[in-house]
Amino acid sequence: EQMLRSSGMRQPDFEVFSGDAVFLGQIQGSWDLWFENAAPAMARMPFVLAHGNHDGLAINYLVQFAQPQADAPDQDELYFSMDYGPVHLVVLNDTPRGGDLSSLAGQQLTWLRGDLTRARMNRGRVPWIIVVHHKPCFGSSVHTAAVDTEFIRRTWPPVYDEFGVDIVFSGHEHDFELSKELDATGNEVSGRRGTLYMVAAGAGAELYEARQRSWTRYSESVVNFLLVHATQRALEVTPHRGDGTVISQGRVMLTPRPM
């Protein structure tokens, strides 16, 4: 809330949280403290949450948040989608029960393909497709070579590329990052639109060192948040530092993809 005021921007319609609200999801005292600090913002707007690995699929997480659950009864509100104005927002869970990474390429991937098929058919009315999940496919800091990150990198970006996902927002790396426009394998595209990947995860825990990979356009080790403004004709993402200054190197302005 304080960071929002410092930016001088108007009240957003809702907030998307990229996961890891607490260090250990099983400790209710940590949740109580998080809710206490989030109370001013929650009094003004609803929150949409992505599940993070530190949230740990704890009962404390599952019972304290009400998320959409439209067409996959077994998902426990951990992955879902919704349309809001010109945006189709998809939230995924990249921390499966028991660490079973194969599930990310199974039922959840099947659901994702079906959801994006419908979103693509509806793109004339809802032109923007945004995906949110905790662990970045193309991050550049501490976790980029982790086994789970590499599995996600092989599994979900081909679908994002196939269906023309505009932006993927993530957390996990405690910094700010913006990728180049990427294809299914993390190479910069040429002659067509690719998918942008943005990390916004520097708002609580200790910051990580900002690093560069072949897919990185810009990274900065800084407390940060993003403001997203979407209309039928344009999508603008403006990253801010905690002091309210704009991270100009990370600003994104897109026009709709050709139909």
Side-chain angles (χ1 to χ4, degrees):
E1 181 76 5
Q2 182 177 355
M3 289 193 291
L4 179 64
R5 289 198 300 269
S6 69
S7 73
M9 298 295 289
R10 70 175 182 86
Q11 180 69 42
D13 293 338
F14 61 94
E15 178 167 332
V16 179
F17 194 82
S18 61
D20 281 0
V22 297
F23 183 69
L24 288 175
Q26 295 81 4
I27 299 177
Q28 183 56 38
S30 297
W31 287 107
D32 294 341
L33 182 61
W34 187 84
F35 278 111
E36 179 182 339
N37 284 284
M42 287 186 157
R44 295 175 178 267
M45 57 185 167
F47 275 46
V48 176
L49 281 85
H51 175 260
N53 57 293
H54 282 279
D55 302 320
L57 291 171
I59 190 67
N60 313 64
Y61 176 88
L62 297 172
V63 303
Q64 292 183 116
F65 298 101
Q67 306 273 44
Q69 189 179 46
D71 60 356
D74 61 328
Q75 67 187 323
D76 295 328
E77 303 176 26
L78 293 171
Y79 58 93
F80 51 87
S81 68
M82 65 180 190
D83 288 346
Y84 189 83
V87 174
H88 182 71
L89 179 67
V90 181
V91 177
L92 300 176
N93 174 37
D94 52 30
T95 304
R97 288 182 178 85
D100 180 15
L101 295 177
S102 65
S103 66
L104 304 183
Q107 186 167 348
Q108 190 168 179
L109 184 62
T110 300
W111 175 87
L112 175 63
R113 291 187 66 88
D115 181 82
L116 293 181
T117 296
R118 293 186 291 273
R120 183 167 60 182
M121 294 174 61
N122 194 36
R123 206 149 198 174
R125 187 179 68 85
V126 183
W128 306 109
I129 301 178
I130 296 175
V131 174
V132 182
H133 56 86
H134 181 61
K135 298 173 183 176
C137 302
F138 297 106
S140 65
S141 192
V142 173
H143 300 294
T144 187
V147 171
D148 52 355
T149 303
E150 290 186 339
F151 187 90
I152 295 166
R153 185 180 302 142
R154 294 191 303 270
T155 304
W156 288 348
V159 181
Y160 301 155
D161 190 50
E162 176 184 354
F163 288 93
V165 170
D166 295 293
I167 301 180
V168 179
F169 294 129
S170 298
H172 203 43
E173 304 281 22
H174 300 172
D175 60 4
F176 168 78
E177 300 184 26
L178 171 65
S179 77
K180 303 169 184 175
E181 288 195 32
L182 304 179
D183 66 11
T185 59
N187 292 311
E188 186 174 9
V189 299
S190 177
R192 68 175 180 91
R193 283 275 294 279
T195 299
L196 290 170
Y197 295 80
M198 300 186 76
V199 176
E206 181 180 354
L207 293 173
Y208 292 168
E209 177 186 358
R211 300 173 183 172
Q212 292 280 320
R213 301 275 292 199
S214 62
W215 49 67
T216 309
R217 178 178 297 177
Y218 183 75
S219 63
E220 184 175 334
S221 181
V222 66
V223 173
N224 69 90
F225 65 99
L226 310 178
L227 287 175
V228 180
H229 183 238
T231 69
Q232 288 289 129
R233 297 183 178 182
L235 177 65
E236 181 178 3
V237 183
T238 306
H240 290 74
R241 301 178 183 89
D243 62 6
T245 59
V246 172
I247 305 174
S248 57
Q249 303 93 325
R251 195 167 188 171
V252 170
M253 297 190 70
L254 299 176
T255 56
R257 294 171 182 260
M259 295 296 294

